[in-house]
Amino acid sequence: MIKDYKAIVKRNEEIAENVYMMTLTLPESAGKIRGGQFVNLSTGSADNLLRRPLGVMKVEGDDITVCYQLKGEGTVRLSATEVGRELKVLLPLGNGFNLDGKKNIAVIGGGVGIFPLIATVREYAAEKNFYSYIGFRNKSAVCLLDELEKSKALIVVTDDGSYGEKGKVVDAYFNDKDKPDVDLIIACGPPVMLKVLKSKLAEHGCTTPCLVSLEERMGCGIGACLVCVCKKTDGENARVCKDGPVFDINEVEL
């Protein structure tokens, strides 16, 4: 059930270049939150009326951890938020990744797109097998790899080769000669990464189901304002916040 909470900031620190992790303590349990769902977090400032949609990275008891990249005035304000500060947070939002009936799953993440994927691996690690392919811009952007150690395999690449192998993460997946047969692919990252992934799946004749979490600008987070509308392949529109953010890759235009 979606609810607006008054949460206390328990942790707020930089974990990579311009990337921050914030842990919020809720006044009560929010119940089960699925990997891929997100929150709408206030900045605590009257100058920023719109809240920031942030994917849930971790849930531990009444603590919710999110991560964010500095992109504008709102996230800069969040980065300066002190421990002990109260912020309003609306959650849980969106549909999340549904892995029912799937056992072996490939995880393809780029940059800050890894956060909802981490939540999914954490949620299902005891019962499913994950094979993770993660890409970053360079070494200074690398973060939270320890959260993916429960994967059966973990391959990390960077655009410039300053950490792991040099290359793009989608290529790392398709070029991996040892990659296992999987029942499902889940992915999140920059729009260009997802577009390349969709193209490569078609190029290789891959029929494995693929779920992607889309990153879009949002307003209300509950489907009322239509700021985050995306195009579907059937010509209809979808609200990323309400109908997603997780979609079948063949369902949406990228």
Side-chain angles (χ1 to χ4, degrees), residues 135-234:
F136 297 97
R137 184 180 64 260
N138 52 39
K139 185 177 181 179
S140 65
V142 175
C143 60
L144 300 175
L145 293 182
D146 59 313
E147 293 286 355
L148 291 164
E149 289 178 351
K150 293 181 179 179
S151 302
K152 294 295 183 181
L154 174 59
I155 293 177
V156 182
V157 299
T158 49
D159 292 347
D160 62 2
S162 56
Y163 187 98
E165 296 295 322
K166 181 177 181 179
K168 301 294 186 180
V169 69
V170 174
D171 290 333
Y173 173 70
F174 283 100
N175 293 338
D176 181 12
K177 296 178 181 179
D178 298 321
K179 67 177 178 292
D181 291 331
V182 294
D183 309 311
L184 179 70
I185 300 168
I186 62 173
C188 185
V192 65
M193 185 204 96
L194 299 182
K195 186 174 183 178
V196 170
L197 175 59
K198 186 173 185 177
S199 175
K200 289 279 187 180
L201 288 170
E203 179 184 324
H204 287 262
C206 180
T207 58
T208 303
C210 179
L211 300 178
V212 294
S213 180
L214 303 187
E215 299 175 350
E216 290 286 347
R217 288 185 175 274
M218 295 183 185
C220 67
I222 57 174
C225 69
L226 305 182
V227 168
C228 63
V229 166
C230 70
K231 288 288 186 181
K232 297 177 65 178
T233 51
D234 63 4

Side-chain angles (χ1 to χ4, degrees), residues 33-53:
I33 298 177
R34 170 169 279 169
Q37 290 190 293
F38 66 99
V39 308
N40 227 14
L41 180 64
S42 72
T43 65
S45 171
D47 294 332
N48 302 111
L49 295 179
L50 289 181
R51 301 189 188 192
R52 268 48 188 178

Side-chain angles (χ1 to χ4, degrees), residues 11-30:
R11 175 185 183 185
N12 189 30
E13 60 187 34
E14 190 172 21
I15 58 172
E17 185 177 23
N18 292 328
V19 177
Y20 282 73
M21 174 190 290
M22 177 182 285
T23 299
L24 300 154
T25 300
L26 303 179
E28 61 188 81
S29 172

